[in-house]
Amino acid sequence: MTQLQVFALIALFLYFVLILYAVTKERKNQNLLDYFFGGRKLPFWALSITFIASWWGAGSALATADLAYEDGLGAFWYYGVPVLLSTFLMIIGSKKIRRVGFLTQGEMMKARYNKNVSTVLSLLILVFMIFTAASQMVAIGEFFGTYMGLNYELAVLIGTAIVLGYSLFGGFRGVVLTDIIQFVFLSVSALVVFVVALNASGGFDAIQSVAEKKGLTNYMSFTDGASKYFSYVITFGCAWMIQANVWQRISATKSDTDARKMTVMSFFVYIPLYLMIVLTGMASLSLFDSMPKGGVVTTIVINYMHPILGAIVFVGITAAIMSTMDSLINTGAMTILLDLYKGDGSDKKKLSLSYLATLFVTLIALLIALKIRSILEISWIASDIITTGVFVPLMAAFLWRRGTAKGAIASMLVGFIYSFYNLMVSFSILPKPFYESQSVMQVVIGVLISFIVYVGVSFLTTSEYDKADKFISMTK
């Protein structure tokens, strides 16, 4: 092992011990409200940090930097713009979500439509959570593999085992506490890598000069990435604004005022975080003639940092990935226990089942990560399912009183079939359609079909004004 790998291994061990100590010292969970919502007693700033950490994951720390190396400032549109768009919409809707009085999206849809709608929606959310958790496992496998010289499978198993170790018993309060610790490591690491990369590159003038020599005329243009990544803005933006783990954090706030404060704080913190990682990728253009095999962030750490400093950054990037993974696993388990599990029992029994649900979500995601080794591909699959299958009926539940349960069911099923068809096309099992795969057209068609089906079936079925008015009045 190299000196860097030795220090990184020691740092990872100390980090894991710190996380476990913090979780075990926390007050024990007494019921499901504790396990999945922290008893609704956590301060807004703590929930804001876990909100930020849940979205600042592998795509933010690794993939965005690699894209910025190739595309320049326009790469901010890949993750940064969708996150800011989603968070802005959450600022607008956070008070309504908190006021409605139900803890999960499944419970909300049961009150607005009926139990069947709740079940279908919860199943789609569960699929989304599992696939997105798998994308973080892919990231940690690739990162650990490059950094520690491990094979991919072993790296995935080690990283996932660490997350499972503290997520299993800590619950949501444990996730929030560890996310705060991870956020500190993440922020320091992102800043250190940015400063080192910018200093080694010679500054912005040197970056622009290298870009011009390579014929990258729009490298310093922010708007240049708009057209290239617009499909991601729509798909990721729509998917993330209805993401159950974000709504979980809104529901966990003490009041609707705290819900608004949480989302506003998150919005303004995201801007410098995403900008730093984009600029880090751009600075790498002066450091490497071509895209490094292990990615720009990892290669900067290995080639330009002292081993001790590199070990700290290693923990920071690990924290970024783990903070997203633990959030997704916890929300997936919440969906099983609160929305899909129909049995009764004592709080003690339900807590025991929550551990099993956490383990189940982790294992299924792990199998996917071992099979599909692409962060972008898995993220797209997950976002496509939630955008075409859930976005329309969930948003309409708050806005359109004529929408019916049958319209919602039809919309979700048609949306899921459409996304499943696109998945089969991507695996070359079915013939390609007239639109390009993973394009703006694909997303627009999916959402439009879902909308038309929802509206059409709702008008063809008996109105449910009493139930709709009662639900909508709760948001005011």
Short mmCIF file of all heavy atoms in Angstrom, two decimals, residues 120 124 389 408-418:
data_model
loop_
_atom_site.label_atom_id
_atom_site.label_comp_id
_atom_site.label_asym_id
_atom_site.label_seq_id
_atom_site.Cartn_x
_atom_site.Cartn_y
_atom_site.Cartn_z
N VAL A 120 -49.81 2.28 -4.81
CA VAL A 120 -49.08 2.36 -6.07
C VAL A 120 -47.99 3.42 -5.98
O VAL A 120 -46.84 3.20 -6.39
CB VAL A 120 -50.04 2.66 -7.24
CG1 VAL A 120 -49.25 2.89 -8.53
CG2 VAL A 120 -51.03 1.53 -7.43
N LEU A 124 -43.76 2.96 -6.22
CA LEU A 124 -42.90 3.70 -7.14
C LEU A 124 -41.83 4.48 -6.37
O LEU A 124 -40.67 4.56 -6.81
CB LEU A 124 -43.73 4.65 -8.00
CG LEU A 124 -44.70 3.99 -8.99
CD1 LEU A 124 -45.48 5.06 -9.77
CD2 LEU A 124 -43.95 3.09 -9.96
N GLY A 389 -44.14 8.72 -13.45
CA GLY A 389 -45.13 7.95 -12.73
C GLY A 389 -45.79 8.65 -11.57
O GLY A 389 -46.93 8.32 -11.20
N ALA A 408 -55.62 9.26 -10.92
CA ALA A 408 -54.27 9.15 -10.36
C ALA A 408 -53.68 7.77 -10.62
O ALA A 408 -52.51 7.65 -11.01
CB ALA A 408 -54.32 9.44 -8.86
N ILE A 409 -54.48 6.73 -10.39
CA ILE A 409 -54.01 5.36 -10.63
C ILE A 409 -53.62 5.17 -12.09
O ILE A 409 -52.54 4.64 -12.41
CB ILE A 409 -55.11 4.33 -10.26
CG1 ILE A 409 -55.25 4.21 -8.74
CG2 ILE A 409 -54.80 2.97 -10.86
CD1 ILE A 409 -54.19 3.36 -8.08
N ALA A 410 -54.49 5.59 -12.99
CA ALA A 410 -54.23 5.44 -14.43
C ALA A 410 -52.98 6.19 -14.84
O ALA A 410 -52.14 5.68 -15.60
CB ALA A 410 -55.43 5.94 -15.23
N SER A 411 -52.81 7.40 -14.32
CA SER A 411 -51.65 8.22 -14.65
C SER A 411 -50.36 7.56 -14.19
O SER A 411 -49.37 7.50 -14.94
CB SER A 411 -51.79 9.60 -13.98
OG SER A 411 -50.63 10.37 -14.16
N MET A 412 -50.35 7.04 -12.97
CA MET A 412 -49.14 6.40 -12.44
C MET A 412 -48.79 5.12 -13.19
O MET A 412 -47.63 4.86 -13.49
CB MET A 412 -49.32 6.11 -10.95
CG MET A 412 -49.26 7.36 -10.08
SD MET A 412 -49.19 7.00 -8.30
CE MET A 412 -50.87 6.45 -8.03
N LEU A 413 -49.80 4.31 -13.51
CA LEU A 413 -49.54 3.06 -14.21
C LEU A 413 -49.03 3.31 -15.62
O LEU A 413 -48.07 2.66 -16.08
CB LEU A 413 -50.81 2.20 -14.24
CG LEU A 413 -51.27 1.64 -12.88
CD1 LEU A 413 -52.56 0.85 -13.04
CD2 LEU A 413 -50.17 0.76 -12.27
N VAL A 414 -49.65 4.24 -16.33
CA VAL A 414 -49.20 4.57 -17.68
C VAL A 414 -47.79 5.16 -17.65
O VAL A 414 -46.94 4.82 -18.48
CB VAL A 414 -50.19 5.55 -18.35
CG1 VAL A 414 -49.60 6.09 -19.66
CG2 VAL A 414 -51.52 4.85 -18.64
N GLY A 415 -47.54 6.04 -16.67
CA GLY A 415 -46.21 6.62 -16.53
C GLY A 415 -45.15 5.57 -16.25
O GLY A 415 -44.04 5.61 -16.80
N PHE A 416 -45.48 4.60 -15.40
CA PHE A 416 -44.53 3.53 -15.10
C PHE A 416 -44.27 2.66 -16.33
O PHE A 416 -43.13 2.28 -16.61
CB PHE A 416 -45.04 2.67 -13.95
CG PHE A 416 -44.16 1.49 -13.64
CD1 PHE A 416 -42.95 1.68 -12.98
CD2 PHE A 416 -44.52 0.21 -14.03
CE1 PHE A 416 -42.12 0.59 -12.71
CE2 PHE A 416 -43.69 -0.88 -13.76
CZ PHE A 416 -42.49 -0.68 -13.10
N ILE A 417 -45.33 2.32 -17.07
CA ILE A 417 -45.17 1.51 -18.28
C ILE A 417 -44.27 2.24 -19.28
O ILE A 417 -43.40 1.63 -19.92
CB ILE A 417 -46.55 1.21 -18.91
CG1 ILE A 417 -47.34 0.26 -18.00
CG2 ILE A 417 -46.40 0.60 -20.31
CD1 ILE A 417 -48.79 0.07 -18.41
N TYR A 418 -44.47 3.55 -19.40
CA TYR A 418 -43.66 4.35 -20.32
C TYR A 418 -42.18 4.32 -19.91
O TYR A 418 -41.29 4.11 -20.74
CB TYR A 418 -44.17 5.79 -20.34
CG TYR A 418 -43.36 6.74 -21.18
CD1 TYR A 418 -43.52 6.78 -22.57
CD2 TYR A 418 -42.44 7.60 -20.60
CE1 TYR A 418 -42.77 7.66 -23.34
CE2 TYR A 418 -41.70 8.48 -21.36
CZ TYR A 418 -41.87 8.51 -22.73
OH TYR A 418 -41.12 9.38 -23.49
#
